[in-house]
Amino acid sequence: MSHESTVPGELGNPAVDAAEVPEPGAVTIVVPTFNESGNVRRLLRLITDAVPARLPCEVVFVDDSTDDTPDVIRAAAPDCPFPVTVLHRDEPAGGLGGAVVEGMKAAGSDWIVVMDGDCQHPPSLVPELVATGERTGAGLVVASRYVKGGSRAGLAGSYRIAVSRAATWLTKALFPRRLHGISDPMSGFFAIRRSEVTAEVLAPLGYKILLELAVRSRPQTVTEVPFVFEERFAGESKSTAQEGMRFLRHLAGLRTASPLARMVAFGLIGLSGFLPNLAALWAFTEAGLHYLPAEIAANQFGVAWNFLLLERLLFRDRRRHRHWADRTVRFALIANADLVLRIPLIALLVGQFGLAVLPATALALVITFVLRFAGTEALVYLPRRRRTAARTARSDA
Ligand code: GDD
Ligand code: MN
């Protein structure tokens, strides 16, 4: 990463221990920017108007732009009564979220406020976010569009509104405890105490850095302040359908970081595999096939379905140490071993206990599930031992 600083205030190298940064301000405003040259000057003016002289403040832009945004910031900086810094990254690792974490690492103040560079987040709220945190003792203060007094006026179009609402609902459903008290986990506008940020455990992926912080850094107490999400001042939104997919991957990674959660997810994916399996079984038996060969053929549909979902969602970050062909063969072998065990089991349940084919199959699927989970974890996706440490740091993200 290359970084440039502008006068009047040097933050120094972000790798340097924050304690060594001279005279830290009380609040560091971290602004991720990607081609926001039409907005940054206005943003700095609004921050200047909003932040009272008694609140020591500094602004850190973490920039991945391909336009002249850093130059515009540098030109505007001398007009500001506070230090303004640009960290320009050559490699936009982690996208928006990665940029925010970089800025947080550079911060030396007690409070960090994160906000967008396109003036959709009103800077007039910055002092209130920090004051609310000080007053209530909260470690995290979220500017929310969904509490009384807030609104998402500037969210362009019913499509964006629907996507945002669905994402909020899904995220809240997946993390009911972690996100308790946060009505707007999608917000990119919040204040957090620097002492609450555990930057080393954060592995942000694109947008939604607040979610990452709430789930991994786990601030003790959280409070919210309403805000009106304004219209973007200039330029275009950088969020795309691709960002949406990245968000879903981020959610899956966050949710399955612990072994127990992973087993539950494995089970849910396995459950969903019942559908193609039983549908194919029904089709084959309807077509007049004897149920035993029908079982074997139908099982392949469930196996393929499970493999694809597991690869895409659950083990996405654990695939690298084995070639895809290696994984496919191993997975298929485990599924076959599973089948070898399951067919006599089904035959036993049908022949000895008089169960019908479908319930017998369902029961056998459940019994063999546990064996299959253990086998898949251990034989297909378990990182080789000597590389475990490095892998944990990189993957569970
Ligand atoms: N450094 C960096 N790198 N900044 C980025 C990147 C990136 O890859 N991608 C986007 N940004 C910056 C933009 O320049 C802007 O300052 C800010 O991140 C938000 O990007 P927008 O493209 O304006 O996002 P949005 O308006 O669609 O999304 C907003 O609403 C969401 C809630 O619906 C943002 O506030 C999100 O943070 C928020 O979660
Ligand atoms: Mn925006």
Side-chain angles (χ1 to χ4, degrees):
M1 177 178 95
S2 83
H3 78 281
E4 321 145 27
S5 305
T6 54
V7 278
E10 289 262 334
L11 260 178
N13 189 316
V16 168
D17 184 353
E20 292 172 39
V21 177
E23 295 188 9
V27 53
T28 301
I29 302 177
V30 173
V31 186
T33 47
F34 182 72
N35 297 350
E36 301 290 1
S37 59
N39 290 311
V40 284
R41 187 174 279 281
R42 178 181 150 95
L43 180 74
L44 283 171
R45 196 165 349 99
L46 291 174
I47 294 175
T48 304
D49 293 345
V51 178
R54 66 193 148 70
L55 179 64
C57 140
E58 60 185 335
V59 179
V60 177
F61 287 91
V62 188
D63 181 74
D64 294 324
S65 295
T66 50
D67 71 356
D68 61 344
T69 301
D71 299 330
V72 178
I73 297 169
R74 237 180 276 124
D79 297 337
C80 300
F82 41 74
V84 176
T85 307
V86 189
L87 306 176
H88 179 77
R89 310 194 302 165
D90 296 328
E91 200 45 59
L96 169 52
V100 169
V101 170
E102 212 60 67
M104 288 177 151
K105 284 185 186 160
S109 52
D110 291 346
W111 283 94
I112 296 166
V113 169
V114 176
M115 67 189 301
D116 290 353
D118 58 0
C119 305
Q120 290 197 278
H121 296 153
S124 55
L125 208 63
V126 169
E128 191 184 331
L129 287 176
V130 175
T132 303
E134 288 288 350
R135 199 176 59 242
T136 61
L140 171 66
V141 185
V142 178
S144 169
R145 295 164 290 180
Y146 303 123
V147 290
K148 198 168 179 292
S151 105
R152 39 161 201 267
L155 204 57
S158 51
Y159 170 72
R160 277 297 308 264
I161 290 175
V163 168
S164 177
R165 189 177 290 162
T168 304
W169 179 85
L170 176 65
T171 308
K172 293 275 289 176
L174 283 174
F175 299 96
R177 264 184 311 135
R178 292 266 166 265
L179 296 181
H180 184 77
I182 302 181
S183 64
D184 194 355
M186 302 293 113
S187 179
F189 191 18
F190 55 90
I192 188 164
R193 281 181 206 268
R194 191 165 57 94
S195 56
E196 299 275 9
V197 179
T198 50
E200 64 289 348
V201 302
L202 299 177
L205 197 61
Y207 282 47
K208 312 313 167 198
I209 177 63
L210 175 61
L211 174 64
E212 176 78 21
L213 280 166
V215 172
R216 290 204 214 267
S217 280
R218 305 173 184 175
Q220 281 300 310
T221 41
V222 181
T223 181
E224 289 191 319
V225 166
F227 92 105
V228 177
F229 191 62
E230 306 279 354
E231 301 272 354
R232 174 177 256 278
F233 180 64
E236 288 179 351
S237 170
K238 278 76 192 178
S239 85
T240 54
Q242 202 185 341
E243 267 315 322
M245 290 314 294
R246 191 142 87 146
F247 167 65
L248 290 180
R249 289 210 311 272
H250 188 193
L251 263 189
L254 271 178
R255 186 60 285 183
T256 56
S258 79
L260 181 66
R262 210 158 50 241
M263 194 169 100
V264 171
F266 190 94
L268 288 176
I269 290 172
L271 268 180
S272 76
F274 281 19
L275 270 175
N277 192 329
L278 294 179
L281 180 68
W282 176 81
F284 287 135
T285 48
E286 279 296 293
L289 205 62
H290 184 264
Y291 76 87
L292 282 180
E295 290 284 354
I296 295 170
N299 189 59
Q300 305 318 311
F301 287 80
V303 168
W305 171 277
N306 285 351
F307 185 61
L308 287 176
L309 283 186
L310 289 172
E311 285 264 309
R312 301 246 108 219
L313 296 175
L314 194 56
F315 295 113
R316 192 174 185 95
D317 300 312
R318 292 164 194 258
R319 298 180 300 182
R320 287 183 216 101
H321 65 289
R322 268 185 222 291
H323 191 264
W324 68 265
D326 187 7
R327 298 194 306 273
T328 309
V329 169
R330 282 166 177 266
F331 194 88
L333 282 177
I334 291 172
N336 275 334
D338 180 63
L339 197 62
V340 166
L341 181 71
R342 198 191 308 157
I343 294 303
L345 191 60
I346 292 169
L348 188 77
L349 291 172
V350 173
Q352 292 291 83
F353 297 95
L355 257 65
V357 175
L358 288 188
T361 305
L363 187 58
L365 281 165
V366 173
I367 293 169
T368 51
F369 159 73
V370 179
L371 294 171
R372 200 203 293 206
F373 172 68
T376 305
E377 278 255 321
L379 301 174
V380 186
Y381 298 105
L382 190 72
R384 284 162 187 149
R385 216 160 254 293
R386 65 194 156 81
R387 289 162 67 186
T388 301
R391 186 156 298 278
T392 329
R394 205 166 7 121
S395 73
D396 296 279

